[in-house]
Amino acid sequence: MVRGLGIDGSGYDFDIAQAVLYAAGLPAEGAGGNPVVAPDRAPIINMSLGGPSDNTLGAAVAAAISAGSVVIASAGTNASPAANFPASSPDV
């Protein structure tokens, strides 16, 4: 399991993007800016989060999918008929 948000559920898209990259077995930025790579790729990356589109997170999700991981994300809980990002991304 990889956590991209704080225990209170808040955080930054950059941190979520790094967690996605790490889970996909791709190089990511760890503590202090040091590069880290997971020993294995997660076949499924499940994210229960959503919000406005973000280029950094979008690139990480696309890279994870290209690396062979299936990315699943919640559509959102704001009673809107439109899915939040990253669930609104075509390959998620």
Side-chain angles (χ1 to χ4, degrees):
M1 181 185 303
V2 177
R3 179 187 293 249
L5 297 173
I7 59 171
D8 63 353
S10 67
Y12 299 97
D13 288 332
F14 177 81
D15 297 325
I16 300 165
Q18 298 311 302
V20 168
L21 292 171
Y22 183 83
L26 300 168
E29 188 175 313
N34 296 317
V36 294
V37 178
D40 297 306
R41 176 185 59 83
I44 299 170
I45 298 171
N46 181 37
M47 296 183 282
S48 184
L49 54 85
S53 180
D54 176 79
N55 290 337
T56 302
L57 180 54
V61 168
I65 292 168
S66 291
S69 292
V70 173
V71 178
I72 300 169
S74 60
T77 58
N78 59 359
S80 170
N84 285 328
F85 180 82
S88 62
S89 197
D91 294 328
V92 175

